Amino acid sequence: MYFNILTLFPEMFNGPLNESMIGRAQENDLLDINIINIRDYASGKHQVTDDAPYGGGAGMVMKVEPVYKAWEDKCRNEKDSSPVILMSPQGRKLNQEIVKDLSAQEGLTVICGHYEGFDDRIRSSIVTDEISIGDYVLTGGELAAMVLIDAVARMIPGVLGDENSVINDSFYNGLLDYPHYTRPRSFKGMEVPEVLLSGNHAEIDKWRQQESLKRTLLRRPDLLEMKTLTDEEIELLEDIKKDLKVKKR
Ligand code: 4FV
């Protein structure tokens, strides 16, 4: 899978995309990451990439030409209709469902903003999708782009050591993850739950399912609203609610 990244701060990507799994995935040619400096396409000796907003107001606006020229020179490809994604607070909120969909693409072009925002003709000329990583304002789109690329890249077969890691992901089944434990068995009086030491995999799976449902009920009941629960999950949830009521008394 390829990622074209249009940015004014190419060096910001050095760390996150060259280390660990993403770094290794590039070495193993599972990922092809092209970082394009928008400023290289800005005209004039000062290579200006922003300007004052028409109609007045605070802050500066990202100019359309440098972004368009960068896209046209490095990303435009008639044969390939891969998404051109604008990272911005006005975009649809990123979630695992969107990540899964994007990971099926041949590649993605990601545009990182700065300043107050983009000249809207960037949206109307080359952008096919707009994504937000959350309802807060960053100084630039680079960190948002890194979040998106990391989440999508780990869905590509071979990027994570063990494919199963994706399958057992939080949100993979629309629920929060169950608690994990490893050695030592006891730490400052805190013991590993017995069932996990039992070797009884049916019991272990059931415990993990219960813990996942309980954690989701307590922390993210909104996720349960969005999920089609199996009869077994509905039954387990009833027991969990009864259990929590008893504990509350
Ligand atoms: C953002 C977000 C974000 C807005 C102004 C960059 C900043 C500056 N991008 N999800 N939240 N972008 O805050 O994606 O241009």
Side-chain angles (χ1 to χ4, degrees), residues 62 86-91 112-118 131-145:
M62 200 170 206
L86 194 66
M87 302 309 297
S88 99
Q90 288 79 41
C112 308
H114 261 274
Y115 321 115
E116 283 323 294
F118 298 91
I131 291 179
S132 169
I133 62 166
D135 298 340
Y136 39 80
V137 182
L138 305 169
T139 60
E142 281 73 18
L143 293 174

Side-chain angles (χ1 to χ4, degrees), residues 151-167:
V152 170
R154 63 186 294 287
M155 303 298 285
I156 299 162
V159 170
L160 287 186
D162 171 351
E163 293 324 304
N164 291 323
S165 322
V166 167
I167 292 157

Side-chain angles (χ1 to χ4, degrees), residues 33-51:
I33 298 182
N34 317 303
I35 299 178
I36 299 141
N37 188 340
I38 295 167
R39 196 173 300 284
D40 296 345
Y41 296 85
S43 50
K45 70 177 170 21
H46 302 297
Q47 292 187 301
V48 171
T49 57
D50 64 324
D51 204 340

